Amino acid sequence: MASTQSGSGLLPEVEAFLAGTPLTSLVGGRDVAGSTGQTMQTLDPGSGRPIAEFHLLSADDVDRAVQAAAHAFKASGWARMAPNERGVHLHRLADAVERQKKIIGQIEALDAGKLVAHAEGEVQNFVDTLRYFTDMAQHVQRRNVLAVAGHEAWTVRHPWGPCGFIFPWNFPFLLVGWGISPALAAGNTVVVKPAEDTPLSAIYLGRLAREAGIPDGVINIVVGTGQVAGAALSGHPGIKRMSFTGSPEVGRLVGEACGRNLVPAKLELGGKGAAVVFEDVDVPQIAQKLVHAITFHCGQVCCDATRWLVHESIARQFIDECAGRMEAVKVGYQLAGGTAMGPVVNARQRERVLSYLRKGQEEGAEMVVPGGPASVPGHDGFYVKPALLSGSLDNIAARDEIFGPVAYIATFATEDEAVAMANDTEYGLANSVWTTDIGRAGRVAESMVAGNSWINAHNVFLRGVPYGGVNKSGMGGGVNSIETLFDYWRSQSVVRQL
Ligand code: NAD
């Protein structure tokens, strides 16, 4: 099945993994083919060709996975283990992933259309995140004594039980790390549903977890469609906490399903971030940084700055600097050297990007860099060129999340106007402000309504700094900080009358 195009140089371990198709899910420590016999193919976005086939799980299969996670929570000893004992297991898993970084990186690059160096960096990010939460769980206090007259009282934190996770296709492996690391470190068991477009790295992780000796049922990987496996997981009453990363449309469905079961849910959703650029910046340098951000992973990044709000006095120079750089971006096959921007994930996503360019133009945007389909000789994949539009922020291309390498420029005259423009969106994920005036930077950063504001940078992720969204970009606490670990413990009070 591994029908990638010749010369792509796959590692023998990757060839062997792909040859073992149809690939299976992991439930209760066992390889599981779906009970319906249905399978699906995953494509190499750079060639458009199938690379592997995998079994699709049904709602009944997902139910068995939740039961396996519940059984492991009660019976495997995982939940009651001392954090340092659990830490031995989790560090062993981190070691195994780190040892196989090149293999997982190549699988991820092939499945998601990522540049190999980026994919390997994301595997390392998984490892570092897992180690971070594993160590944190050993050092935080889980018992607090409460000073109450006439009573001895304290709170104690317990893991919840089986936790569900549903992930999108843009950062398949990295996001699994962000999601399950705090949950596992806190003593929960997990059921993970990867996106059906990019299931391979999660399937590989399941195998590594078993080899690393993680007790059966602690990590379950259920591969299936969103409508069947995703809906079954998010509506399962046996799940004690749910985490969903993806579009606001599906996030609503997951939130509704969890609400019916009174299951707390974290929703990490889309965005339409702004970069506010003041007149005192080094224009070529900032143009370079923003073009890099919008073309990174072909613009399929939830927190990207897609609305560039630029002071009117530097707008002409800024547009010229950006346009030249965008036109020079080398679009190519993701496994080939010299490629700066690979393909989008599938034909549907390419059509989505192209349709927004058409609609934006119809609504009157100036097509500064027109974008459009790109062709890469010898690789018949899903390629688009970067695009830069400008005009009114009422334009559909300035309002909707496109999820491609498309930026939209509008100008402002005053700081207040810039903040109002940045906040004129239903989303609230991440914005940035660019200026050498530190006072103004802080003011604007705090005034933009979103989960995250960055100063003189965009797409900044640091373990220890919470990352999450507000409004249409999400709810429920975010990821990557000490609060995330505490989210995976329920708090219980204990009182003794003296
Ligand atoms: P999507 O919402 O279409 O799919 C996400 C996941 O939900 C997939 O696993 C899919 O199978 C599943 N799903 C689909 N229908 C379902 C249903 N009815 N019930 C339960 N699950 C279902 O999103 P996508 O296209 O894979 O990803 C792109 C979106 O993800 C963008 O909006 C992007 O901004 C967002 N995203 C957000 C973050 C963040 O941290 N805030 C990170 C990455 C991506």
Side-chain angles (χ1 to χ4, degrees):
M1 175 61 69
S3 62
T4 51
Q5 298 185 352
S6 59
S8 56
L10 293 189
L11 297 164
E13 295 89 341
V14 174
E15 296 272 16
F17 172 65
L18 297 176
T21 65
L23 296 164
T24 45
S25 290
L26 182 78
V27 173
R30 294 206 323 275
D31 293 327
V32 169
S35 53
T36 64
Q38 282 183 301
T39 61
M40 193 170 165
Q41 290 180 331
T42 180
L43 306 182
D44 168 2
S47 70
R49 297 186 192 174
I51 42 175
E53 189 176 6
F54 53 91
H55 289 281
L56 290 174
L57 294 203
S58 67
D60 286 346
D61 299 325
V62 171
D63 175 53
R64 279 188 275 278
V66 176
Q67 286 183 34
H71 179 74
F73 185 75
K74 287 202 189 95
S76 73
W78 184 254
R80 285 188 302 279
M81 245 175 227
N84 59 327
E85 251 184 286
R86 257 198 316 269
V88 171
H89 286 84
L90 292 174
H91 275 297
R92 206 184 296 137
L93 176 60
D95 291 343
V97 171
E98 196 162 23
R99 267 197 307 275
Q100 310 244 8
K101 181 160 66 180
K102 288 217 168 304
I103 297 168
I104 304 170
Q106 201 174 67
I107 290 170
E108 187 83 329
L110 198 58
D111 203 18
K114 286 178 183 291
L115 307 195
V116 177
H118 294 173
E120 283 182 13
E122 289 162 26
V123 177
Q124 187 61 47
N125 189 297
F126 176 108
V127 170
D128 295 344
T129 305
L130 183 54
R131 294 198 196 287
Y132 173 77
F133 281 111
T134 298
D135 292 345
M136 187 190 286
Q138 297 175 39
H139 294 107
V140 296
Q141 269 198 325
R142 291 172 61 183
R143 284 171 195 278
N144 284 320
V145 174
L146 305 172
V148 188
H151 299 80
E152 183 191 14
W154 68 94
T155 57
V156 57
R157 293 188 161 87
H158 298 292
W160 294 84
C163 298
F165 292 86
I166 299 178
F167 292 109
W169 45 257
N170 61 339
F171 290 90
F173 200 69
L174 173 142
L175 289 175
V176 171
W178 287 12
I180 69 174
S181 297
L184 290 171
N188 299 280
T189 56
V190 302
V191 180
V192 174
K193 195 206 90 63
E196 52 271 49
D197 278 302
T198 55
L200 297 184
S201 57
I203 293 173
Y204 200 87
L205 174 69
R207 296 179 180 189
L208 282 186
R210 187 171 49 197
E211 282 165 31
I214 301 288
D216 290 349
V218 168
I219 298 179
N220 303 276
I221 310 287
V222 294
V223 185
T225 64
Q227 288 80 355
V228 177
L233 185 58
S234 54
H236 200 295
I239 288 292
K240 298 296 177 196
R241 264 205 83 101
M242 186 68 209
S243 165
F244 171 82
T245 311
S247 62
E249 295 71 31
V250 178
R252 277 203 183 92
L253 298 177
V254 170
E256 282 169 16
C258 290
R260 278 196 296 277
N261 292 329
L262 303 180
V263 170
K266 271 180 190 289
L267 304 177
E268 312 291 341
L269 310 177
K272 191 74 188 176
V276 175
V277 185
F278 283 96
E279 65 282 4
D280 56 357
V281 299
D282 177 333
V283 172
Q285 193 185 64
I286 308 313
Q288 171 65 30
K289 288 186 176 177
L290 287 177
V291 169
H292 175 75
I294 194 68
T295 53
F296 176 76
H297 195 28
C298 219
Q300 301 167 116
V301 180
C302 53
C303 50
D304 248 339
T306 48
R307 295 177 300 145
W308 296 351
L309 311 179
V310 184
H311 192 268
E312 58 189 11
S313 65
I314 56 163
R316 191 65 264 159
Q317 187 197 357
F318 187 80
I319 288 173
D320 291 345
E321 290 284 350
C322 292
R325 285 176 166 78
M326 276 188 163
E327 277 156 358
V329 168
K330 186 170 182 319
V331 179
Y333 185 56
Q334 71 270 22
L335 300 186
T339 295
M341 191 175 89
V344 294
V345 73
N346 56 29
R348 197 175 62 251
Q349 192 61 23
R350 180 174 56 183
E351 179 46 34
R352 179 183 171 92
V353 173
L354 299 179
S355 75
Y356 271 107
L357 294 178
R358 285 194 298 272
K359 287 186 268 186
Q361 188 170 24
E362 278 160 24
E363 290 193 10
E366 183 195 343
M367 308 300 281
V368 180
V369 178
S375 56
V376 173
H379 297 279
D380 195 15
F382 312 118
Y383 298 98
V384 294
K385 296 179 194 158
L388 182 60
L389 283 59
S390 92
S392 156
L393 283 184
D394 289 335
N395 189 290
I396 190 166
R399 304 206 73 79
D400 288 8
E401 183 185 42
I402 299 174
F403 226 51
V406 182
Y408 197 100
I409 289 198
T411 59
F412 67 86
T414 65
E415 181 179 318
D416 285 349
E417 192 189 355
V419 170
M421 288 164 79
N423 289 340
D424 184 16
T425 173
E426 293 179 291
Y427 291 98
L429 189 51
N431 300 301
S432 55
V433 51
W434 303 76
T435 175
T436 51
D437 177 341
I438 293 305
R440 176 161 69 181
R443 252 186 343 262
V444 172
E446 288 192 10
S447 306
M448 294 189 290
V449 179
N452 316 276
S453 275
W454 294 308
I455 296 175
N456 294 332
H458 205 97
N459 294 344
V460 185
F461 298 100
L462 303 168
R463 275 173 287 280
V465 177
Y467 171 75
V470 298
N471 298 334
K472 206 175 158 185
S473 293
M475 55 178 255
V479 294
N480 264 345
S481 74
I482 190 165
E483 288 90 343
T484 325
L485 180 67
F486 281 100
D487 285 343
Y488 283 99
W489 281 315
R490 64 182 173 82
S491 179
Q492 182 171 5
S493 67
V494 182
V495 178
R496 184 171 70 93
Q497 235 167 10
L498 296 175

